[in-house]
C-alpha cells in the first residue's frame, strides 16, 4: 500500500538526519528496521563530518515515531461514528520529549482522503516547509507516507497536534506534545510526582464527512452535541472503568490540559481542590491559584494539584462556556487507597451572562509571565524587553461573515481564504507565486467592501516588530493562532480598539503564547517580532470558520536567502500542483 519505502525516505535525507534526530521517548510501537536505518544514517553523517549543535545521545533509544493513521469506530457521546486513530489510539500517542530534542514522525495515511497533521504549535524554527497546513505542504495522499522532521528548539510546555485537512479535527487524530526543560535549566517548581495529559473539547454526533458536507453546502454545522474529556463524556454517577488520574495523599501532580474543540471555550475544575497555574502555552507563569480556569479553543496550560483532601474519588469537571445551555462532562480522579465515590454535587461554573465574560476577562488579566524563571534557554525570560521595541506595523484583524453566491463564508477583513491546488509556500519558492495567488488582498485596516474569495497572503518584512489587533464584532467568542511564532498577549478589553487604547497594554510581563481569544464585542492586542522566516498561517481556531475561509498566510522572506534564516526545502518534500516535477531552485547557502 505504501510504494514509497521507508528506506528511500531515510536515504534521501542522509545528510539531514544528524541535524534532525535526537532523543525522544515514544509512547507508540517502533519498527526495528526504522531504528537500524537511522543508526546507519547517523553514523554515515558523522563520518562525513556533519556537525550538530546539540548532542545526539542514546542511539539505541526509541527516537523514531511510526504513526499509522486509520479509521476506527468510536463513540465519545455514546453514538458510534467513524473516528480517526493513530496506531489504533484515540486520543493519539503522546510525544514526550525535552527542549532541543529533534523529532522524526513518519506518518502513514490509511484514510480514503488526503491528510495533513500539524505539529506547528511548537515553533518550527526556519522550517515552515513542514507546518502541516495546506498553504505550506502537499497533503499526504491515501496509501502514501511522509516523514516530519523538526526540533523543539529552546522551548518547553504543552502543545496539541491535530489534522488540518477537511473536518478531520472533528474525528480525532489529536494528541499532546509535552516538552520538558533540560536538566541544566532550573524549573520554578518542584518536580511533580506524576503528570497527566487531559484533552478537553466539544464534540458532534455527526461524523466528520457529514459536517464537511454541511459546510460545503453553505450551511453551518450548528451547536456541538456535548463535551468530552480525553474523548469520553462521563456523567455524574457513572461507574468509572478507568480514572483520569490516580493521586497519592500529600503528593503534588501536574495536569497538562488542552482544549482541542471546534467551537466552545471550556471551564474546568477539580472537585474539592485548587489549581496552581505554572505554564501557559510554553511560558512559565506567575503561580496564581484558581478554583476553576477558562480554556479557550486551541489553548493548553499546566496546573499543579496537591492531593490534600480526604482519600476518595473526586470529579474533574469540564463545561462549555458562554453557551445558552452549557454542556458538562466529568471524569473521576482517584486517590490511591481511597474509600468512597465522588460527591454528586459539582463545583459551579462561573456565571454565563455578561458578568461571566467579565470574570473570564479578569482571569486573563491575572495571567503573568514569570520573569524570574529561566526558560528553555539559559537567559532569563525577562531579558527580552518587548515593551521598549518600536512597532513598525499595525495590522487590524476583524472576523467577517457573509453569504457568497448564497453560501456561508467567513473571512478576515472581507477576504475569505481558499487553498489553491499548489501550496502557497511552494509556489513562492519556485518563483510562481503570480500564477497561484496575489499578495496583500487583505489590508491592514478593514474595508467596507464586498467579500472576496481567494488565497489570502500578506507580505511582511523579516524581523519587523508588529502589533496585531483582533477585533470581534460578533456575539460569540473567537480564538486565533499564529503558526511559527509566540507573541506577547498585551491586552484584551471590551469595545473597539483605537490608538489611545495602547495605554491599557501590559508592557512588562504579558505572557508569551501562540493563541489569543477575543470576547464578544471586544478586542485583543498582541506583539511579536517576525524573526522566523517562512510562510505562516494566521487562523481562527474555530474550525468551521477556518474551513470556510477565516484565515490568511503571512509571507516572511529573508532577503539574505541564507541557511542562517531558513532551511532549504527537504529533499523528500512532496511536490504537487504546478510545481510537480519541476527542478528545485538553487539551495540557500550557509553563513
Amino acid at each position: 500500500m505504501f510504494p514509497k519505502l521507508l528506506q528511500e525516505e531515510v536515504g534521501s535525507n542522509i545528510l539531514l538526519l544528524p541535524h534532525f534526530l535526537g532523543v525522544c521517548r515514544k509512547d507508540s510501537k517502533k519498527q526495528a528496521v526504522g531504528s537500524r536505518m537511522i543508526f546507519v544514517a547517523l553514523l554515515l553523517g558523522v563520518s562525513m563530518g556533519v556537525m550538530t549543535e546539540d548532542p545526539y545521545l542514546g542511539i539505541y533509544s526509541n527516537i523514531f515515531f511510526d504513526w499509522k493513521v486509520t479509521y476506527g469506530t468510536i463513540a465519545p457521546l455514546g453514538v458510534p461514528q467513524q473516528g480517526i486513530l493513530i496506531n489504533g489510539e484515540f486520543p493519539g500517542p503522546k510525544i514526550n520529549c525535552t527542549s532541543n530534542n529533534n523529532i522524526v514522525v513518519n506518518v502513514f495515511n490509511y484514510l480514503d482522503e488526503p491528510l495533513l497533521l500539524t505539529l506547528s504549535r511548537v515553533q518550527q524554527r526556519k522550517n515552515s516547509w513542514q507546518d502541516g497546513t495546506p498553504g505550506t505542504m502537499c497533503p499526504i495522499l491515501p496509501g502514501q507516507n511522509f516523514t516530519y522532521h523538526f526540533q523543539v528548539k529552546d522551548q518547553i510546555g504543552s502543545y496539541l497536534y491535530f489534522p488540518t485537512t477537511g473536518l478531520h479535527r472533528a474525528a480525532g487524530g489529536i494528541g499532546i506534545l509535552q516538552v520538558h526543560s533540560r536538566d541544566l535549566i532550573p524549573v520554578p517548581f518542584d518536580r511533580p510526582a506524576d503528570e497527566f495529559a487531559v484533552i478537553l473539547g466539544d464534540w458532534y454526533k455527526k461524523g466528520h464527512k457529514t459536517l464537511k458536507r454541511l459546510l460545503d453546502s453553505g450551511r453551518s454545522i450548528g451547536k456541538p452535541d456535548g463535551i468530552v474529556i480525553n474523548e469520553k463524556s462521563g456523567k455524574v454517577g457513572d461507574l468509572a472503568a478507568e480514572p483520569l488520574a490516580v493521586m497519592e495523599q500529600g503528593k503534588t501532580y501536574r495536569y497538562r490540559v488542552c482544549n482541542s474543540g471546534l467551537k466552545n471555550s471550556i471551564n474546568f475544575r477539580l472537585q474539592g481542590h485548587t489549581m496552581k497555574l505554572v505554564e501557559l502555552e510554553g511560558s512559565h507563569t506567575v503561580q496564581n491559584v484558581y478554583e476553576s480556569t477558562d480554556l479557550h479553543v486551541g489553548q493548553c496550560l499546566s496546573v499543579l494539584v496537591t492531593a490534600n483532601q480526604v482519600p476518595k474519588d473526586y470529579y474533574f469537571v469540564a463545561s462549555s462556556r458562554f453557551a445558552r445551555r452549557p454542556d458538562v462532562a466529568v471524569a473521576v480522579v482517584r486517590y490511591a487507597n481511597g474509600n468512597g465515590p465522588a460527591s454528586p454535587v459539582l463545583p459551579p461554573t462561573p456565571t454565563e451572562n455578561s458578568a461571566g465574560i467579565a470574570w473570564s476577562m479578569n482571569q486573563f488579566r491575572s495571567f503573568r509571565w514569570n520573569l524570574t524563571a529561566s526558560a528553555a534557554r539559559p537567559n532569563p525570560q525577562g531579558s527580552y524587553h518587548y515593551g521598549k521595541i518600536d512597532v513598525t506595523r499595525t495590522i487590524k484583524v476583524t472576523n467577517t461573515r457573509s453569504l457568497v453566491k448564497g453560501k456561508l463564508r467567513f473571512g478576515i477583513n472581507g477576504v475569505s481564504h481558499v487553498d489553491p491546488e499548489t501550496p502557497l509556500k511552494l509556489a513562492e519558492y519556485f518563483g510562481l507565486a503570480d500564477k497561484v495567488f496575489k499578495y496583500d488582498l487583505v489590508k491592514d485596516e478593514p474595508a467596507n467592501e464586498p467579500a472576496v474569495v481567494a488565497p489570502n497572503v500578506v507580505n511582511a518584512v523579516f524581523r519587523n516588530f508588529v502589533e496585531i489587533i483582533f477585533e470581534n464584532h460578533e456575539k460569540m467568542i473567537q480564538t486565533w493562532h499564529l503558526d511559527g511564532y509566540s507573541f506577547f498577549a498585551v491586552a484584551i478589553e471590551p469595545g473597539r480598539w483605537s490608538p489611545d487604547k495602547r495605554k491599557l497594554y501590559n508592557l512588562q510581563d504579558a505572557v508569551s503564547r501562540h493563541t489569543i481569544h477575543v470576547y464578544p464585542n471586544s478586542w485583543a492586542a498582541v506583539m511579536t517580532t517576525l524573526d522566523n522566516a517562512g510562510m505562516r498561517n494566521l487562523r481562527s481556531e474555530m474550525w468551521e470558520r477556518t474551513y470556510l475561509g477565516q484565515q490568511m498566510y503571512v509571507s516572511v522572506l529573508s532577503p539574505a536567502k541564507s541557511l542562517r534564516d531558513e532551511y532549504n526545502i527537504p529533499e523528500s518534500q512532496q511536490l504537487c500542483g504546478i510545481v510537480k516535477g519541476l527542478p528545485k531552485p538553487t539551495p540557500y547557502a550557509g553563513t
Side-chain angles (χ1 to χ4, degrees), residues 242-304:
E242 183 179 348
L244 178 70
V246 176
M247 304 191 298
E248 293 184 22
Q249 178 75 26
K251 294 184 177 180
T252 297
Y253 297 83
R254 181 174 185 168
Y255 287 73
R256 297 179 183 260
V257 190
C258 296
N259 183 345
S260 68
L262 301 185
K263 277 195 173 184
N264 285 333
S265 299
I266 292 176
N267 179 273
F268 72 91
R269 54 264 190 213
L270 180 53
Q271 194 177 48
H273 296 73
T274 57
M275 303 176 295
K276 180 184 292 186
L277 181 68
V278 294
E279 176 256 329
L280 177 61
E281 297 183 8
S283 292
H284 293 306
T285 60
V286 172
Q287 295 177 13
N288 296 323
V289 175
Y290 302 95
E291 293 184 351
S292 72
T293 302
D294 279 354
L295 191 62
H296 307 281
V297 178
Q299 297 180 354
C300 295
L301 55 76
S302 294
V303 293
L304 297 181

Side-chain angles (χ1 to χ4, degrees), residues 17 107 133 265 590:
L17 281 169
V107 177
T133 62
S265 299

